[in-house]
Amino acid sequence: MHSVAGQVFLFQLAVVMLLVAAALVALLVQAQRDVMADARHRTLTAAQTFAHSPGIVAALDSANPTAELQPHVQAARKAAGVDAIIVYGLNGITLAHSDPRQIGKRVIGPYAAAATGKPFTSTFKGTLGLSVISAVPVRGPDGSVIAIVSVPVTVETVQQRVNRQLPFLLGGAATALVVAAGGSGLVSRRLRRQTHGLAPTEMTRMYEHHDAVLHAVREGVLIVGGDGRLLLANDEARRLLDLPADTEGRHITELGLDEDLAGLLASDRPATDEVYLAADRLLAVSKRLTAPDGPAGSVVTLRDTTELRALSGRAEVARERLQSLYDAGLRIGTTLDVKRTAEELAEVAAARFADIVTVDLLDPVLRGEETSVGPSGITELRRSAVAGLDAGHPLHPVHELIRLVPAEPVSTAMAEGRPVLVGDLSVSDAWRARQPERARRVLDHGIHSMLVVPLRARGVVLGVVVFWRAQGSPPFEDEDVSFAEELAARAAVSIDNARRYTREHTMAVTLQHSLLPRALPEQSALDVAYRYLPAQAGVGGDWFDVIPLSGTRVALVVGDVVGHGLHAAATMGRLRTAVHNFAGLDLPVEELLGRLDELVAQLDAEEVAAAEDGQGMITGATCQYAVYDPTSGRLAIATAGHPGPAVVRPDGTVDFPQLPVSPPLGLGAGLPVETAELTVPEDSRLVLYTDGLIEDRTRDLDAGLRALRDALAGPGRTPEATCAAVMEAMLSDRSRDDIALLVARTRRLGPDQVAEWEVPRDPAAVAPVRTDCARRLADWGLEQLGFTAELILSELITNAIRYGAEPIVVRLLRTEPMGSPDAGSLIFEVADGSSTSPRLRRAKATDEGGRGLFLVARLAERWGTRYTTTGKVIWAEHSLRHDATPEAEGLGELLLDQWDDTAL
């Protein structure tokens, strides 16, 4: 048991036993919990079912409740599988019991909660053991409690299921334990044969000795078998003899060694510090035979005697190159621009390593994209940087697209992912064959040597850097390759960082643009123009919106999320979507911002909870929400930490209304949002903006507001012209923050576009309103919509008379969107003093009502309900496009489809 195999067997067996025991205990505990849960659910379900069963109220009100209920009690107890079902009055006298002997007796128990109308379930221990009882009140027609139904059951009754499972659980656990023990024994037996029964300390000591001999010593070690094959070579021996990777198992004479050294290693002759030549190294070789104490063979040690003589010169060269690499690291990658980083690489290398340096990159890398082809599939590169050349150089200029030719040095370096050294360009046929005329001019220019190194970072091929040496400089040598590789590797990381930044910045801009409005919606209340300018430093979270609401009203939204980047853009999208959803509910402006404040607070809580360090990114945002009503010219506006709007009156004067400002979103802490209402004259311009427009490093807030006032002043401007003037006057050379500007010129619905009637709460009043509606439609030239309009108004007015409250007001609106003479809409509004909301449903064949709203929904393009301070308004909108006008035959089929032919 002291061996590795024995300890592994004991450990495996202990782990298996613990797992089996834990699983068994978990199953038993879970089964016990299931028993208690089943008992509670069974008693409560049985009590609720019997208490809510049809006829129980009538039985309790009968002359003899016991006679009526007793048969049902017996049947229900058997069906539910409980011990008893008890019905008793509020005085505690039993009216029905599964045990007839208990009828008429007073029940004692904690049933006060059930008597107050609250069902409950309780666990207690009685004479029959642990039991569960549930009590449910029986309510009369008026909702009061008239009786109580209780259902008890003993846990022992349900426990039998668990007892039936115990043999299977124990049998499975025993089987698993036996199988695991047998498997562990087989594994341990095999492990014992492979480890020769060694203890862990002995194996550790052997490994440490082996590692020390092979890797820790500064001498090469070879173990040669009796047949002359190499059995083992440590790292130092591989380096000194330049052995291939598949050295072990090959004969000494097949390793490419010097003939004298190979003869010594293959012979049975021992040696001590004999000097042999291996390539350009002088090695001191010692050899000892392993027989007779071990198997036939020999152990050879190698010491390099040439290293000490070259060490001092190599150290000086290495120091100089390390300094050059350090300086290059400081100068390369100072910006996150791909092209500038390539230029820095060329400038650094041309100053200390080569006479001329060219950097060629893939087009996707310059655009910040991922490369979609492998190194072997790259056929063209774009010259991105050149350094060290005069004006008349013969090489490809910057920005030129270079097509690669197979077998040339650049193509080989890219395809194989390794440096390619051409010491003498004049004898390189592969390089000269690509462009013979250009090659001749390069040689005439004095360029004679080339070193090509691919630029690779994180497994991605970015391009290639080519080092050139001209007349007066020595050609490149093999020892220059490592320095060039290290320099290219450091530069490649910087280029890849710039590429990834460009890609992420492009993604963030794309995300931001996808989350902003693509086009302004069609509406008739405002003439709107906008400008959006992202910050130069990064993507921000400013947004704006124009949202058409019911009754020709329009909502204007401007918001700003603090910060930049993907998080700000994504948060902006979530808030904009939330505003759209809340606006679709026709919420008042203060309630909408209140709900948006709760949403931002919830987002902050989720961020903090999801952060591993508890320091999540907090969302900071401001928002301004305004609703304009063209029928009255009223503007309701609320602000959460956002700069107030500007109002340009028809005469060109500019006013900044003083509005109550609530805290930014997420900081309201449940406080109500204050709102303001303004009356805006027709042809006024509403100007909403974000703080990036008026705040800048070069001016304070007051100066920004004064500049904005000057830019807005003047009558007769269109919203588009106003936006252009503001951006020209306010825009700085390099904005640090996003800018969103929204300009809306107000319009009013004329008296000839609005019809309004007050309707008494009398069904007979519907017909006169229909007649007035038909007359008004004729005045508007919309006689073809008379049937549809009368049907919609009839249904809405009838609902208001039947289910609503006075006063009841009917309003008909005719809208004509700007620039769309063939469009527009007809809006029906029925207001009443009730706050109850209608609900759309599909009526059954036997229902007398329930089809009105269904017909309204089918005939109108949109319909809905909005609440007012005095009640509600039910509205429906019908489009006036020619293709949206329903045919009379279609309306008849629509009506007939509401009834089943078989039912009729």
Side-chain angles (χ1 to χ4, degrees):
M1 288 302 172
H2 295 288
S3 65
V4 174
Q7 294 182 10
V8 170
F9 173 77
L10 290 178
F11 177 77
Q12 289 178 335
L13 188 60
V15 170
V16 170
M17 291 180 66
L18 288 175
L19 291 176
V20 171
L24 186 61
V25 170
L27 288 174
L28 291 177
V29 171
Q30 184 62 37
Q32 185 65 30
R33 291 181 179 176
D34 291 343
V35 167
M36 295 301 297
D38 185 32
R40 294 188 183 98
H41 294 163
R42 183 179 301 183
T43 57
L44 184 59
T45 301
Q48 288 179 337
T49 303
F50 195 87
H52 299 156
S53 61
I56 188 171
V57 176
L60 291 170
D61 293 337
S62 63
N64 191 352
T66 300
E68 294 289 338
L69 295 175
Q70 190 62 21
H72 299 291
V73 167
Q74 295 290 354
R77 182 194 66 79
K78 294 179 180 180
V82 296
D83 293 344
I85 293 181
I86 308 168
V87 181
Y88 57 92
L90 297 180
N91 55 2
I93 301 301
T94 302
L95 301 177
H97 199 292
S98 300
D99 184 4
R101 295 173 298 178
Q102 303 298 325
I103 297 175
K105 296 182 179 181
R106 182 177 297 276
V107 178
I108 299 174
Y111 304 122
T116 61
K118 297 181 180 178
F120 78 96
T121 300
S122 177
T123 304
F124 68 97
K125 190 166 185 181
T127 56
L128 297 179
L130 185 62
S131 302
V132 176
I133 186 168
S134 295
V136 175
V138 179
R139 297 182 180 275
D142 57 349
S144 61
V145 178
I146 60 175
I148 298 174
V149 177
S150 65
V151 177
V153 66
T154 59
V155 177
E156 182 179 3
T157 303
V158 191
Q159 183 69 28
Q160 295 175 359
R161 187 182 67 178
V162 179
N163 296 337
R164 290 194 298 267
Q165 296 176 352
L166 285 177
F168 298 97
L169 295 177
L170 295 175
T175 302
L177 187 60
V178 171
V179 171
S184 300
L186 293 177
V187 171
S188 300
R189 183 177 179 183
R190 181 177 180 85
L191 183 61
R192 184 173 182 272
R193 290 199 305 267
Q194 294 177 348
T195 58
H196 302 286
L198 294 175
T201 55
E202 296 172 343
M203 293 188 65
T204 302
R205 186 167 56 253
M206 290 183 62
Y207 174 80
E208 292 173 348
H209 292 170
H210 178 273
D211 187 73
V213 171
L214 292 182
H215 303 289
V217 299
R218 298 288 301 182
E219 294 183 349
V221 177
L222 301 175
I223 299 180
V224 183
D227 56 353
R229 295 184 179 276
L230 183 63
L231 301 180
L232 186 145
N234 70 345
D235 298 339
E236 186 68 6
R238 292 176 182 274
R239 185 185 69 83
L240 294 176
L241 299 178
D242 195 19
L243 297 177
D246 55 346
T247 298
E248 284 81 2
R250 298 173 60 180
H251 200 273
I252 292 296
T253 56
E254 301 174 358
L255 300 180
L257 302 177
D258 182 81
E259 182 177 356
D260 294 337
L261 178 59
L264 172 64
L265 298 180
S267 67
D268 294 332
R269 180 178 64 86
T272 301
D273 291 336
E274 295 182 5
V275 178
Y276 290 87
L277 180 66
D280 58 344
R281 301 176 184 273
L282 293 176
L283 304 180
V285 182
S286 297
K287 178 181 177 182
R288 296 292 182 270
L289 303 179
T290 57
D293 297 330
S298 60
V299 176
V300 180
T301 60
L302 309 170
R303 287 184 293 108
D304 187 7
T305 61
T306 60
E307 293 288 336
L308 294 177
R309 286 177 293 184
L311 184 59
S312 58
R314 291 171 57 188
E316 181 63 21
V317 174
R319 188 194 65 79
E320 294 178 356
R321 293 193 170 179
L322 284 176
Q323 183 64 37
S324 299
L325 289 175
Y326 175 77
D327 295 340
L330 297 178
R331 296 182 56 187
I332 298 176
T334 58
T335 66
L336 288 175
D337 181 79
V338 175
K339 189 175 184 303
R340 179 53 192 158
T341 304
E343 293 172 352
E344 291 171 345
L345 168 62
E347 293 169 359
V348 169
R352 297 197 177 188
F353 181 65
D355 298 323
I356 304 168
V357 180
T358 60
V359 181
D360 305 327
L361 300 177
L362 295 169
D363 274 340
V365 174
L366 292 170
R367 296 191 299 266
E369 301 172 359
E370 295 282 357
T371 57
S372 58
V373 297
S376 59
I378 297 175
T379 59
E380 57 186 23
L381 296 169
R382 188 169 298 277
R383 180 62 48 87
S384 302
V386 176
L389 285 175
D390 52 28
H393 67 84
L395 299 180
H396 293 279
V398 178
H399 305 306
E400 184 173 332
L401 189 65
I402 303 173
R403 301 192 179 278
L404 304 183
V405 177
E408 68 157 337
V410 174
S411 299
T412 303
M414 293 290 292
E416 299 180 4
R418 63 176 181 84
V420 175
L421 171 63
V422 181
D424 189 354
L425 292 175
S426 61
V427 298
S428 176
D429 296 334
W431 176 75
R432 294 165 60 93
R434 178 182 171 228
Q435 291 181 334
E437 180 60 26
R438 186 182 293 272
R440 184 188 60 79
R441 288 190 287 115
V442 169
L443 294 175
D444 292 345
H445 204 73
I447 301 174
H448 59 81
S449 185
M450 177 178 67
L451 176 57
V452 184
V453 182
L455 294 170
R456 298 173 60 93
R458 302 179 180 93
V460 178
V461 177
L462 307 176
V464 66
V465 55
V466 183
F467 305 97
W468 310 81
R469 283 185 179 172
Q471 187 174 3
S473 298
F476 289 109
E477 299 178 352
D478 292 337
E479 62 184 18
D480 296 321
V481 174
S482 59
F483 174 79
E485 281 187 299
E486 181 66 24
L487 182 62
R490 297 191 179 195
V493 172
S494 298
I495 293 175
D496 188 56
N497 288 339
R499 177 192 65 83
R500 295 172 67 184
Y501 170 78
T502 303
R503 180 190 62 184
E504 292 177 2
H505 180 73
T506 303
M507 290 173 56
V509 171
T510 303
L511 173 63
Q512 184 189 44
H513 288 175
S514 67
L515 294 176
L516 289 171
R518 301 294 182 88
L520 295 178
E522 182 181 290
Q523 44 83 29
S524 59
L526 298 169
D527 181 12
V528 182
Y530 67 90
R531 291 290 187 275
Y532 184 85
L533 184 65
Q536 297 293 331
V539 174
D542 291 15
W543 90 92
F544 64 92
D545 243 320
V546 179
I547 307 173
L549 303 177
S550 63
T552 69
R553 298 171 305 128
V554 178
L556 300 177
V557 190
V558 173
D560 183 5
V561 176
V562 177
H564 294 84
L566 286 175
H567 181 270
T571 303
M572 177 267 289
R574 298 172 74 176
L575 296 183
R576 178 172 178 256
T577 302
V579 170
H580 265 273
N581 293 335
F582 293 150
L585 300 176
D586 261 325
L587 298 177
V589 291
E590 66 275 8
E591 184 176 348
L592 186 142
L593 284 188
R595 295 198 178 187
L596 202 62
D597 177 71
E598 295 175 358
L599 174 62
V600 174
Q602 180 181 353
L603 294 178
D604 290 343
E606 292 175 356
E607 288 285 349
V608 173
E612 296 181 357
D613 56 356
Q615 300 293 328
M617 185 176 295
I618 301 300
T619 301
T622 64
C623 183
Q624 189 171 88
Y625 184 76
V627 175
Y628 175 70
D629 188 351
T631 62
S632 62
R634 299 290 292 174
L635 179 70
I637 186 168
T639 298
H642 200 84
V647 178
V648 184
R649 301 191 180 278
D651 59 358
T653 59
V654 182
D655 183 25
F656 292 94
Q658 295 296 322
L659 304 178
V661 180
S662 299
L665 299 177
L667 303 178
L671 297 177
V673 178
E674 296 187 60
T675 184
E677 289 194 3
L678 310 173
T679 299
V680 182
E682 187 176 8
D683 204 29
S684 297
R685 282 168 286 165
L686 305 175
V687 182
L688 282 70
Y689 50 89
T690 57
D691 57 358
L693 182 68
I694 58 176
E695 294 183 5
D696 195 271
R697 289 180 297 178
T698 60
R699 63 186 175 211
D700 57 14
L701 179 60
D702 293 336
L705 291 175
R706 287 194 299 269
L708 180 60
R709 182 189 297 273
D710 296 339
L712 292 173
R717 285 182 183 172
T718 64
E720 186 66 30
T722 303
C723 286
V726 170
M727 297 303 288
E728 181 179 359
M730 303 292 294
L731 191 61
S732 61
D733 295 336
R734 185 176 180 86
S735 176
R736 298 179 58 190
D737 196 3
D738 291 8
I739 296 176
L741 174 65
L742 193 63
V743 179
R745 183 169 58 187
T746 60
R747 301 178 67 194
R748 296 284 289 271
L749 293 182
D752 57 337
Q753 294 180 273
V754 181
E756 186 173 320
W757 304 277
E758 291 188 5
V759 183
R761 194 175 182 186
D762 183 1
V766 178
V769 175
R770 285 203 305 263
T771 303
D772 293 341
C773 173
R775 188 179 301 111
R776 181 53 64 96
L777 290 177
D779 295 340
W780 288 341
L782 302 176
E783 297 89 343
Q784 73 277 10
L785 297 180
F787 179 73
T788 303
E790 291 181 16
L791 182 58
I792 292 175
L793 274 181
S794 296
E795 295 299 338
L796 295 181
I797 298 173
T798 302
N799 277 347
I801 293 174
R802 185 173 182 180
Y803 303 108
E806 291 184 333
I808 300 175
V809 179
V810 176
R811 190 166 70 165
L812 194 62
L813 304 176
R814 166 74 163 93
T815 67
E816 296 179 356
M818 295 170 290
S820 302
D822 192 32
S825 61
L826 191 62
I827 300 175
F828 311 89
E829 292 186 349
V830 177
D832 66 85
S834 172
S835 60
T836 58
S837 177
R839 181 171 58 90
L840 181 64
R841 64 185 180 91
R842 185 179 291 276
K844 299 180 181 178
T846 58
D847 291 346
E848 295 182 1
R851 299 176 178 83
L853 285 180
F854 181 83
L855 293 177
V856 172
R858 291 294 299 270
L859 295 175
E861 186 174 356
R862 297 189 304 156
W863 77 279
T865 303
R866 70 173 182 268
Y867 294 94
T868 64
T869 56
T870 59
K872 69 174 182 298
V873 176
I874 305 176
W875 58 271
E877 182 176 340
H878 185 79
S879 177
L880 298 181
R881 295 191 304 270
H882 293 313
D883 56 354
T885 303
E887 300 291 342
E889 295 82 358
L891 295 177
E893 293 295 332
L894 179 62
L895 290 172
L896 292 177
D897 286 344
Q898 303 309 306
W899 288 272
D900 189 0
D901 295 339
T902 59
L904 296 175

